[in-house]
Amino acid sequence: MSDARSMAGPASGPELLEHALAQAMRDTGAGVGAVYLLQPGERVLRLAVLSGVPGDIAAPWARVALGGATPVADALRERRLVWLGSQEELARRYPQLALVLPYPFTLAAAALTTDGREWGGLVLQWSGAHPPELRPQERAAIGDACHRLGRLLRAAADSGHPVVPDAEPRLVPPPGTGASESSGAPAAAEFAERLPGGCCALDMDGRLAFVTASAADLLGADVSDLLGALPWEVLPWLNNPVAQDRYRAAVFSRSPTSFTALRPPDSWLSFRLYPNASGISVRITPIPAARERDRTPSPHPAPPDLTGRAAALYHFMHLAATLAEAVGVQDVVDRVADQVPHGTGARALALMTAEEGRLRIIGHRGYTAELMSRFDGAPLTSDTPAVRCLTTGAPSFFGTFAELKRAYPPAVLQDGMAAWAFLPLLTSGRPVGSLVLAYDRPHPFTPEERSVLISLAGLIAQALDRARLYDAKHQLAHSLQAGLLPHALPSVARLDVAARYLPAGRGMGIGGDFYDLIRLDETTAAAAIGDVQGHNVQAAALMGQVRTAVHATAGSPPGEVLARTNRLLTDLDPGLFTSCLYAHLDLARHHACLATAGHPPPVLRHPDGHAEVLRLPPGLLLGIDPTATYRAREIALPPGAVLLLYTDGLVEVPGADLDEVTEALADRLARAGDLRAEALADTLVHDARECAHRSDDVALLLIQAR
């Protein structure tokens, strides 16, 4: 079968973007560049092309949620350039990213769009020596680069061959780092050999590309064994978090850095790293014995079987940071599935919980849905490693299928894997689920690796337990809110009505905002809106009592309805105050009578299109003084008029004058045009819906007279 992509020509995949990315890096002087792509129907940005850092280091950001707090997601979502000019600014705006990358660098992220269509994002990174502000020419070059990339992506899509990211990001060398054929290379090697100590060079993947004989002597290895290898793989005593952290610091900051390490049994060596776009030059010198005695001993060198452990810990640190922001079970599952394989080397994983006596798979990666369906729903009485792990809370490790077969003779190889770790997810000593990691080759699980994996499972268990509690509370909150608010507004002749309710941007999604429309008879109706102080179950419960009280007295004059409701609340003494606005609608006479108890003023749009904020006689909040009285105001409500009742979440903006914002709402209502109630309600809540940091609920009741 021919490759469909090849039919589109040699440049129809991510390689199409290589030249434009390299040009952007040349024009801006950036040492690192990346292009993320957004595929149709997805809410995830996928890393398509990467230059300047190893793919393994960038792996935690290979998939970025469009709604997540990351520079490239913010840049695309908000259609703006995101600039991070210092580590302090990075920590303030993106604490999770700063926790994982505590190195000095500057970064810009920009959206790739054409004619309103979103394609992805461009990320460029400079060393920490870059000024804290973007230079004008750099800003212009970023804009040009985004324009070029956007045109390429649009042209590819228009041709029927859109650019689709590969399974792994396409790695390209930074501009100007091609191999040199200079005749001076032998002289440079001889120069390095004459320097005291030793010299070596790492390529951008961290592998040794050049080693002097004196450096090999200091490291205690042959040059042939070192070339092409990762230092911490061939030199186990370098496999420690300090060495790899300094390596990553050099890669990200493009600034010199250093560390010391003990070569067994008693030789201390100093390593100084000098990075640029093509790699890292390393100077190695022995530390004199007199200085050795003054040194505080470094951590013990890692044994040979811990190869890659520091890299795993790096990924787990990233996972810990990202799980701290996970809010629901699916969020936890997605983050675990994205991050854990990179830190463990596993080719597949499955997350499981127990529900009603059966094993339930709540997430997987690397396995097919068909295979997972065979295991999902298995009774907890089954004698399988997955069930036993979940029910007993005991981990088990099988380095080969033969080991698994010895422990479970009926076992049949179904997933094509060669090694497995079954890890219980324990919180407070009780299992909340289990994690299965599968490897495609035999995998000896050392005691140290088992300890790391069990710790990883504990980290996931805590996040999953929090997420399940959050989901349960969230469902309870929504069920309670739905039960207390009207399921549907009644049909009233001569009225076109619409209502909206938006929970606060944070918290349980429950509060005390309410609205109601009450049909009294053929020609009269009542409308009410209110806001109980607080955003919790107590506020919602009190809101239900207020609605009941208003219903019980509806039809009486507005001032009397509020006074009776106020007396009820003061008798209950709930410790919470409530604002409320009540309107009596006389549809035969085309007029309304309104009274308020400390509620934001309604807005009336007249049939001629102009809108005004109605200043009603002030009234005290409900629940403060049982003797409070409430005066009413009558207004005309002719056919074509629109009456807008709302809670303060619709208009309150931190730092803004409330009167000005309310007048702006009236202006929006006036300019909205001749829309029906439902469409008009959507228009008015649009800004509030787009505000990610909304701290208050929003309720809106729109009444159009016909």
Side-chain angles (χ1 to χ4, degrees):
M1 182 180 292
S2 63
D3 186 347
R5 178 172 290 180
S6 66
M7 297 172 60
S12 60
E15 64 269 23
L16 178 71
L17 311 176
E18 289 181 18
H19 177 73
L21 177 60
Q23 185 67 44
M25 295 173 68
R26 276 193 295 269
D27 292 346
T28 61
V32 177
V35 176
Y36 283 83
L37 296 181
L38 179 68
Q39 297 303 295
E42 290 188 355
R43 299 291 294 173
V44 174
L45 287 163
R46 295 164 59 191
L47 181 57
V49 187
L50 176 67
S51 179
V53 294
D56 182 66
I57 287 183
W61 298 279
R63 289 164 52 90
V64 175
L66 187 58
T70 59
V72 68
D74 285 353
L76 182 58
R77 196 172 56 247
E78 301 170 14
R79 304 287 187 92
R80 66 181 178 89
L81 177 67
V82 173
W83 168 249
L84 300 172
S86 68
Q87 192 68 16
E88 180 180 343
E89 186 176 7
L90 176 68
R92 185 175 64 253
R93 295 170 57 185
Y94 302 97
Q96 175 187 321
L97 187 60
L99 176 65
V100 181
L101 300 175
Y103 314 120
F105 63 88
T106 56
L107 181 145
L112 302 179
T113 62
T114 56
D115 301 324
R117 181 167 178 183
E118 298 175 341
W119 301 103
L122 170 67
V123 177
L124 297 172
Q125 182 182 309
W126 296 260
S127 75
H130 188 284
E133 299 293 335
L134 264 179
R135 302 178 181 95
Q137 59 268 33
E138 293 171 336
R139 189 178 292 271
I142 293 173
D144 292 342
C146 291
H147 183 62
R148 285 194 298 271
L149 287 163
R151 284 189 304 170
L152 287 171
L153 292 166
R154 183 182 62 186
D158 290 346
S159 70
H161 302 286
V163 179
V164 178
D166 294 328
E168 297 290 337
R170 185 174 182 84
L171 303 179
V172 297
T177 59
S180 173
E181 299 296 333
S182 170
S183 59
E190 293 176 6
F191 170 80
E193 288 284 3
R194 290 192 294 268
L195 293 174
C199 298
C200 62
L202 306 177
D203 63 21
M204 288 311 300
D205 288 327
R207 298 185 180 275
L208 287 156
F210 170 78
V211 184
T212 64
S214 54
D217 288 341
L218 287 171
L219 297 174
D222 293 331
V223 171
S224 59
D225 293 332
L226 293 170
L227 288 175
L230 295 170
W232 32 88
E233 287 185 349
V234 292
L235 304 170
W237 50 273
L238 270 182
N239 185 29
N240 64 74
V242 173
Q244 293 198 36
D245 177 77
R246 292 299 83 200
Y247 162 68
R248 287 193 297 272
V251 170
F252 278 99
S253 70
R254 292 290 197 269
S255 300
T257 185
S258 64
F259 66 94
T260 59
L262 175 64
R263 173 194 158 190
D266 56 4
S267 299
W268 284 95
L269 298 176
S270 170
F271 295 79
R272 292 196 60 83
L273 285 66
Y274 302 90
N276 69 4
S278 62
I280 300 174
S281 300
V282 183
R283 179 80 186 280
I284 309 170
T285 55
I287 298 175
R291 290 181 58 194
E292 290 177 23
R293 290 193 297 267
D294 297 334
R295 287 192 49 79
T296 301
S298 289
H300 295 295
D305 57 9
L306 287 186
T307 298
R309 181 179 178 185
L313 292 176
Y314 164 72
H315 288 290
F316 294 165
M317 183 176 69
H318 183 275
L319 177 63
T322 194
L323 285 180
E325 295 185 348
V327 291
V329 169
Q330 191 56 51
D331 200 8
V332 170
V333 169
D334 290 342
R335 294 174 191 235
V336 168
D338 285 342
Q339 301 300 330
V340 169
H342 296 297
T344 62
R347 291 299 179 183
L349 65 79
L351 267 171
M352 298 170 288
T353 60
E355 294 180 11
E356 300 179 347
R358 292 187 176 275
L359 182 74
R360 293 298 180 188
I361 296 175
I362 59 173
H364 59 88
R365 184 64 56 84
Y367 283 130
T368 65
E370 189 275 332
L371 178 63
M372 290 293 94
S373 67
R374 299 182 203 169
F375 296 95
D376 189 42
L380 296 183
T381 54
S382 306
D383 187 21
T384 65
V387 169
R388 185 178 297 182
C389 170
L390 195 151
T391 55
T392 66
S396 55
F397 301 88
F398 304 100
T400 64
F401 180 66
E403 293 180 16
L404 178 62
K405 188 75 172 176
R406 282 195 297 269
Y408 296 89
V412 177
L413 183 61
Q414 299 186 63
D415 62 0
M417 296 295 171
W420 300 264
F422 295 87
L423 305 166
L425 306 180
L426 302 172
T427 58
S428 302
R430 60 182 179 85
V432 297
S434 58
L435 170 67
V436 179
L437 300 177
Y439 301 76
D440 58 356
R441 296 181 180 180
H443 189 91
F445 294 96
T446 65
E448 291 79 6
E449 185 179 10
R450 294 183 185 209
S451 177
V452 170
L453 292 178
I454 292 171
S455 298
L456 167 67
L459 177 71
I460 296 171
Q462 293 176 11
L464 187 61
D465 198 36
R466 291 194 305 268
R468 293 174 70 178
L469 181 60
Y470 174 87
D471 284 349
K473 288 183 176 179
H474 201 255
Q475 182 59 42
L476 172 63
H478 276 271
S479 298
L480 179 59
Q481 192 85 53
L484 293 173
L485 289 173
H487 294 288
L489 296 176
S491 176
V492 179
R494 306 182 191 180
L495 288 183
D496 188 11
V497 296
R500 296 290 183 271
Y501 172 79
L502 302 179
R506 295 185 180 273
M508 290 179 59
I510 187 171
D513 287 21
F514 69 92
Y515 57 85
D516 218 342
L517 182 69
I518 306 164
R519 184 178 182 275
L520 299 175
D521 58 34
E522 294 297 327
T523 60
T524 59
I529 196 163
D531 185 358
V532 178
Q533 175 189 12
H535 303 92
N536 51 35
V537 173
Q538 184 183 6
L542 184 59
M543 174 262 280
Q545 293 173 310
V546 174
R547 278 196 64 218
T548 300
V550 170
H551 261 271
T553 55
S556 300
E560 186 175 335
V561 171
L562 293 181
R564 291 181 182 178
T565 305
N566 176 57
R567 287 194 292 272
L568 172 64
L569 261 61
T570 52
D571 288 343
L572 293 173
D573 191 20
L576 299 175
F577 304 132
T578 303
S579 72
C580 185
L581 188 147
Y582 179 89
H584 182 86
L585 310 174
D586 189 333
L587 307 177
R589 297 173 52 208
H590 304 299
H591 113 323
C593 186
L594 302 90
T596 182
H599 199 78
V603 178
L604 177 65
R605 189 177 76 183
H606 297 273
D608 63 4
H610 86 275
E612 65 171 317
V613 178
L614 300 177
R615 303 298 176 181
L616 305 181
L620 197 63
L621 290 169
L622 304 179
I624 297 178
D625 180 3
T627 65
T629 59
Y630 301 89
R631 292 182 295 146
R633 174 183 170 182
E634 293 193 1
I635 62 168
L637 193 66
V642 177
L643 181 63
L644 171 62
L645 312 182
Y646 58 93
T647 57
D648 54 12
L650 186 66
V651 291
E652 283 189 347
V653 178
D657 181 81
L658 186 58
D659 288 339
E660 292 180 0
V661 178
T662 305
E663 291 292 345
L665 174 63
D667 184 58
R668 290 208 307 274
L669 179 61
R671 291 185 289 104
D674 189 21
L675 299 175
R676 296 296 299 269
E678 291 290 338
L680 186 53
D682 286 337
T683 299
L684 294 176
V685 300
H686 177 267
D687 292 342
R689 195 184 297 274
E690 293 297 312
C691 181
H693 302 292
R694 187 178 65 255
S695 60
D696 202 359
D697 307 323
V698 174
L700 174 150
L701 181 61
L702 196 69
I703 300 169
Q704 285 184 330
R706 295 188 298 193

